[in-house]
Amino acid sequence: MTGSVRLLSGREAPALRQLLLTDPVSYAMVLERTAIVGVGAALGAEVWGWFPEDDLAAALYLGANVVPITADDEAVAAFASRARLTPRRCSSIVGPAEPVLALYEGVRESWGESRDVRPHQPMLAIDGEPQVASDPRVRPAVMDDIDILFPACVSMFTEELGISPLVPDGGAAYRRRVATLIQQGRAFVVIEDDQVLFKAEVGVVAQDVAQVQGVWVDPEHRGQHISEPCMAAVVELTRLRHAPVVSLYVNDFNQPALASYRKVGFEQVGEFATVLF
């Protein structure tokens, strides 16, 4: 194999940005992180570049999540070859499905078996008004809500990922994350009688894209079709306050959620995969 993999520095930031802008919906998280901390070994994350010749052709973001960026088979093979020489530090590999799954196959012998692989996660987006009426009860959360909201966030995280965010620090880091999203106006809730009925967060905002995460309906209220009007409200508030394109990705086996999002007006624009360690 010709070409080389090397750690990117600030001088390659414009070239990396051009790669990311080829699909700002898929690469929104990396766009946000690199805009905040720059390119290089910052805050425990780094970015490797693939140079088949002189120009940057693909990249690999390595932080808590590993994300392949515009990586074809040759780039994935090169990244995997280098990654096998380093211990795994990430909790997941996530991004466009084909390179994510290929990268995992390339590193699994040295990084270890995953605890779950989700190979088909439709990436959905909406860039206009929702197709159902919004629920007027949906509002941005405020810091006074955190003691009520945090248990719902823990329930969502545990249900979605199969592990608790309370380990190993008692949930301190996760609570700080929830607090930050509240302070940024990126957490939306329906709370009645001190009970969270619905919640969702805008986990990422970058390049006119806002990625919604952590959508959760209280189990006692599921099956009552409250998610559609609540998500319609989230779309309206997010487009008003954060970005004109609202995206999310969802497990293909979660047919009720897929049906709900499509009713609101989300359309599939790609396919993700997630490997969980």
Side-chain angles (χ1 to χ4, degrees):
M1 180 188 297
T2 60
S4 62
V5 172
R6 60 178 170 83
L7 181 68
L8 298 186
S9 64
R11 69 177 178 272
E12 283 102 8
L16 174 63
R17 182 170 175 81
Q18 288 306 306
L19 293 185
L20 295 169
L21 290 178
T22 62
D23 190 348
V25 173
S26 292
Y27 303 134
M29 187 277 287
V30 182
L31 276 163
E32 183 184 60
R33 292 303 300 158
T34 53
I36 293 170
V37 304
V39 178
L43 298 182
E46 57 189 39
V47 184
W48 297 350
W50 164 241
F51 296 83
E53 294 180 351
D54 295 331
D55 296 329
L56 178 68
L60 189 69
Y61 176 88
L62 299 105
N65 305 307
V66 167
V67 183
I69 300 155
T70 68
D72 60 13
D73 291 345
E74 188 178 35
V76 168
F79 288 139
S81 179
R82 169 141 179 196
R84 286 193 294 268
L85 303 177
T86 64
R88 177 182 62 82
R89 294 177 293 170
C90 66
S91 59
S92 71
I93 308 171
V94 62
E98 186 174 343
V100 163
L101 298 173
L103 181 65
Y104 173 53
E105 287 304 314
V107 300
R108 67 191 300 176
E109 186 173 340
S110 56
W111 279 18
E113 293 290 330
S114 68
R115 59 182 181 83
D116 194 9
V117 177
R118 299 176 180 182
H120 303 292
Q121 297 177 303
M123 170 63 78
L124 310 178
I126 182 171
D127 62 2
E129 292 300 312
Q131 296 178 3
V132 299
S134 62
D135 190 325
R137 298 175 298 172
V138 177
R139 61 172 176 82
V142 297
M143 284 305 297
D144 285 348
D145 296 322
I146 193 166
D147 288 337
I148 297 171
L149 178 57
F150 184 65
C153 293
V154 171
S155 294
M156 177 282 305
F157 189 104
T158 305
E159 182 177 341
E160 175 66 18
L161 298 180
I163 58 173
S164 172
L166 302 181
V167 179
D169 63 355
Y174 188 55
R175 187 180 176 96
R176 286 194 298 272
R177 172 63 174 163
V178 173
T180 297
L181 291 172
I182 292 173
Q183 292 163 351
Q184 293 173 330
R186 287 161 55 169
F188 299 105
V189 294
V190 174
I191 297 177
E192 291 188 345
D193 298 325
D194 292 333
Q195 180 182 8
V196 177
L197 306 186
F198 169 89
K199 75 160 200 75
E201 293 89 43
V202 176
V204 172
V205 177
Q207 198 61 36
D208 294 331
V209 176
Q211 188 177 99
V212 174
Q213 302 171 352
V215 179
W216 182 85
V217 175
D218 176 69
E220 294 182 2
H221 293 80
R222 294 176 189 175
Q224 300 176 22
H225 297 287
I226 73 168
S227 62
E228 291 94 340
C230 287
M231 279 303 301
V234 169
V235 168
E236 290 179 346
L237 289 166
T238 300
R239 295 187 72 240
L240 177 67
R241 294 164 176 259
H242 300 295
V245 178
V246 182
S247 71
L248 55 81
Y249 58 97
V250 60
N251 296 312
D252 65 335
F253 53 78
N254 192 346
Q255 290 298 317
L258 275 169
S260 174
Y261 297 141
R262 286 170 174 153
K263 186 174 180 181
V264 172
F266 284 88
E267 296 182 351
Q268 184 167 353
V269 296
E271 183 173 66
F272 261 33
T274 302
V275 177
L276 297 168
F277 292 100

